[in-house]
Amino acid sequence: RPIFVNTLFGCLATVSERYSFEPLWQPPFLSKLAAEDRCHLNGLAMQDGQPKYVTAVSQSDIADGWRNHRRDGGCVIDVPSGEIVATGLSMPHSPRLYRGKLWLLNSGNGDFGWVDPVTGKFEAVAFCPGYARGLTFIGKYAVIGLSRPRESTFRGLALDERLVERKSETRCGLIVVNLDSGDIVHWVRLKPRSTPQED
């Protein structure tokens, strides 16, 4: 059966023949299973077909509490042990195990990099000129999805300040990062349709 992140309930889940989902695991810091989006659990890294790591925007245990911790409340949790292996992240997303490293998107800061689960240290590899979400690998390259801020959830983050420093605006599209050099070697930019007045 598929395993997925149920962000609203803050748990890992699978499909159910009787209910909308069947809960499998939840972070130890959550006191109950409730449809309150307490910590904004949002990403899952699998290892040998089993859940290994998850990302959450905070360790909040109140309804919608994660919104108060977007800048530095993000964490990575080891699923089998329930231990927090990294903290201080900003809206971490899309954890992936690849070539012996735990990669993720530190989306609120605009960084793509990897975490050492032993020390908890995050090593940035490349800056993403947009809100990063979605990550996969092809050989020595990472393919990362970017979106523009669509609501207040994505505003007021360090990403905004870093884009201003680089005299850039947020982009929507894809970037391809060389894992060895950190260079963005290819990109696709998606732009909104023009209005009749703009044609």
Side-chain angles (χ1 to χ4, degrees), residues 103-199:
W103 302 86
L104 58 80
L105 305 171
N106 197 20
S107 303
N109 282 342
D111 287 325
F112 159 65
W114 56 276
V115 166
D116 183 337
V118 176
T119 65
K121 185 177 180 182
F122 174 79
E123 294 284 349
V125 171
F127 177 71
C128 304
Y131 187 80
R133 52 195 328 164
L135 169 65
T136 192
F137 297 92
I138 303 171
K140 67 176 184 178
Y141 302 102
V143 182
I144 301 167
L146 303 179
S147 69
R148 300 180 68 186
R150 67 178 189 272
E151 54 180 274
S152 60
T153 298
F154 302 134
R155 299 194 184 278
L157 299 169
L159 172 61
D160 294 340
E161 300 155 15
R162 297 182 72 190
L163 285 167
V164 170
E165 291 171 1
R166 289 164 171 76
K167 295 180 172 43
S168 180
E169 296 180 351
T170 54
R171 297 181 183 183
C172 179
L174 298 171
I175 57 173
V176 179
V177 177
N178 184 312
L179 297 177
D180 298 329
S181 66
D183 294 339
I184 297 176
V185 295
H186 295 287
W187 58 89
V188 176
R189 295 185 69 173
L190 303 176
K191 296 183 178 180
R193 289 186 191 174
S194 59
T195 63
Q197 292 81 8
E198 293 173 329
D199 289 339

Side-chain angles (χ1 to χ4, degrees), residues 68-117:
N68 298 323
H69 304 280
R70 297 176 307 140
R71 287 186 71 100
D72 60 3
C75 64
V76 178
I77 310 164
D78 179 87
V79 173
S81 69
E83 294 181 2
I84 308 294
V85 298
T87 58
L89 301 169
S90 180
M91 299 189 73
H93 211 284
S94 307
R96 302 286 185 266
L97 288 166
Y98 186 69
R99 290 189 171 181
K101 289 183 178 179
L102 172 57
W103 302 86
L104 58 80
L105 305 171
N106 197 20
S107 303
N109 282 342
D111 287 325
F112 159 65
W114 56 276
V115 166
D116 183 337

